[in-house]
Amino acid sequence: MLNKGVTLWFTGLSGSGKTTIARAIERRLKASGCRVEILDGDIVRTNLSKGLTFSKEDRDINIRRVGFVANLLSRNGVIVMVAAISPYREIRDEVRSMTENFMEVYVNAPLEVCESRDVKGLYAKARAGTIKGFTGIDDPYEEPLDADVTCYTALESVEESAAKVVAQMESLGLVPVVQSVNGRQ
Ligand code: ADP
């Protein structure tokens, strides 16, 4: 059985684990023969949305573009994983309303945890004032009110978070249920 197209929208603070979990899911799904694409916010901003700033207006334009591409792919049978901070609830809901199969995944970790990880060194720059308008520091993050799945990455392993998302996809019939060789998901 083939997978259905779906957009998995990972939202959360920088360093919360969106990309890491999306990559883990990608490995699982590709191993089961699913068609998968990842639209990573950091990469999108170097091409599709190159030149956009981090003002609310530009962030919204960026999210609309990503949502547009995700919708094109997912309606053609691709599992699209978007990993983008996407801090504003209204634009996330707008994208949800224009996308046929849409799952919102809230990648939740306390700011202190994200900041201590500081994967890209951006929190240090934001604290030093070198970067302005950084989400969580001097720009808002609006939590999802009704996410389809919430991953608590300060409490769960990457594989546990990935398994939760895949289980939800399976229960919605978006991917076939596949047991791995050792019987665990
Ligand atoms: P984001 O895409 O949200 O900015 P990244 O995935 O780039 O975040 O970075 C998250 C960091 O947190 C990675 O270094 C990852 O290894 C680490 N990490 C630790 N525990 C987890 C977890 N349970 N889930 C996801 N990432 C985790």
Side-chain angles (χ1 to χ4, degrees):
M1 183 180 122
L2 271 176
N3 63 273
K4 292 190 180 151
V6 60
T7 295
L8 300 182
W9 195 282
F10 295 81
T11 173
L13 295 173
S14 177
S16 57
K18 301 178 293 298
T19 303
T20 306
I21 295 169
R23 295 275 170 218
I25 295 170
E26 180 185 39
R27 282 193 293 278
R28 283 168 176 249
L29 295 180
K30 280 197 168 163
S32 315
C34 295
R35 292 195 285 174
V36 186
E37 188 58 80
I38 294 182
L39 294 172
D40 188 289
D42 292 335
I43 298 171
V44 164
R45 277 186 172 275
T46 67
N47 43 69
L48 183 67
S49 290
K50 192 171 180 176
L52 291 183
T53 70
F54 288 87
S55 67
K56 178 171 188 309
E57 213 175 28
D58 276 8
R59 284 178 189 266
D60 284 353
I61 294 170
N62 177 46
I63 293 309
R64 266 195 202 103
R65 287 183 189 172
V66 174
F68 177 78
V69 175
N71 190 34
L72 291 183
L73 290 167
S74 62
R75 75 184 191 195
N76 281 290
V78 179
I79 296 168
V80 184
M81 290 189 278
V82 174
I85 299 172
S86 43
Y88 295 109
R89 196 176 292 134
E90 193 177 353
I91 191 78
R92 291 195 308 265
D93 288 345
E94 182 185 310
V95 173
R96 175 194 283 269
S97 71
M98 62 171 234
T99 309
E100 198 180 329
N101 286 324
F102 186 93
M103 274 176 57
E104 187 171 52
V105 181
Y106 178 22
V107 183
N108 181 325
L111 176 65
E112 311 81 75
V113 171
C114 298
E115 195 167 352
S116 69
R117 290 176 181 162
D118 209 5
V119 192
K120 299 150 207 159
L122 297 175
Y123 283 101
K125 288 186 182 162
R127 288 287 184 199
T130 328
I131 300 177
K132 303 276 183 216
F134 195 73
T135 301
I137 305 295
D138 56 351
D139 224 42
Y141 177 76
E142 299 173 357
E143 292 188 318
L145 299 177
D146 195 18
D148 297 279
V149 183
T150 300
C151 300
Y152 297 95
T153 69
L155 304 172
E156 302 163 3
S157 69
V158 176
E159 290 307 323
E160 281 170 339
S161 294
K164 270 167 87 167
V165 177
V166 173
Q168 177 70 2
M169 294 171 77
E170 288 171 349
S171 74
L172 294 174
L174 295 167
V175 288
V177 179
V178 182
Q179 295 288 323
S180 64
V181 267
N182 61 7
R184 289 166 53 220
Q185 288 294 299

